[in-house]
Amino acid sequence: TKVINYKEGKEWNKELAGANFDLVYDCMGGQTAFPNSKAVLGKGGKFVTIAGEKPGQQVTVGGIVGSMAKTLWRNTTAKFSGPSFNWFISLNPSRNVSLTFLVALYQAGKLKVLVDKSSPYEFSAEGAVALYEKQRSGTSKGKLVMKIGEVRE
């Protein structure tokens, strides 16, 4: 596991260049996310985004058509060189195929999730405040987790 602190000016694509990852799962978005992923993805690697290139932008028919065209172009050129591009829009997360794919990777031991050492937080007002304060501090080194209940198999 490697933590890259962007506040120190480090760029993930340069820090991990040549790592030959199978997947980059982008939750932040931005116009540089896909081009930067090319430096870290191996042959046949996939770039998956749930945020798109302009996170928070109002959804319009023109925007959707433009994104579809760009995705088609990226996947066409990926057949010759570079990673494939996938963009998931989910109004109902329980039906999101990408989440199922990620769970399968995790269960197969091919996906590691970095969880901050302060987690899990208790499910209470105090726990929620502590989690929020940790998130706002910018000092977490991984995902922040709140324990809501017991895991059922």
Side-chain angles (χ1 to χ4, degrees):
T1 302
K2 183 172 185 171
V3 176
I4 300 168
N5 186 348
Y6 67 92
K7 290 183 179 182
E8 294 173 355
K10 295 180 179 178
E11 298 176 44
W12 63 271
N13 58 313
K14 292 178 181 172
E15 292 289 317
L16 300 172
N20 293 319
F21 289 116
D22 296 320
L23 173 75
V24 169
Y25 187 79
D26 170 48
C27 300
M28 294 296 294
Q31 294 184 343
T32 60
F34 177 68
N36 287 348
S37 72
K38 294 178 181 181
V40 304
L41 287 167
K43 184 177 180 180
K46 295 184 184 307
F47 175 84
V48 177
T49 183
I50 60 170
E53 292 186 341
K54 297 178 183 175
Q57 181 182 20
Q58 184 176 0
V59 177
T60 64
V61 172
I64 292 171
V65 170
S67 294
M68 290 171 62
K70 193 178 281 189
T71 299
L72 180 62
W73 172 251
R74 287 174 171 169
N75 284 328
T76 300
T77 59
K79 293 186 186 308
F80 304 104
S81 67
S84 66
F85 180 89
N86 295 289
W87 183 41
F88 291 98
I89 300 174
S90 178
L91 300 177
N92 182 351
S94 66
R95 296 184 181 263
N96 193 336
V97 176
S98 65
L99 184 58
T100 304
F101 174 70
L102 291 173
V103 168
L105 284 177
Y106 178 78
Q107 289 174 335
K110 295 181 179 179
L111 176 68
K112 295 180 182 172
V113 180
L114 181 61
V115 178
D116 188 83
K117 292 177 183 177
S118 65
S119 290
Y121 290 85
E122 66 176 270
F123 185 62
S124 66
E126 294 82 12
V129 168
L131 187 146
Y132 178 74
E133 287 174 349
K134 179 70 172 182
Q135 186 271 330
R136 295 287 296 161
S137 75
T139 61
S140 65
K141 293 180 173 47
K143 298 297 177 191
L144 298 174
V145 178
M146 177 174 279
K147 183 177 180 181
I148 296 176
E150 298 300 319
V151 176
R152 294 183 216 149
E153 303 260 341

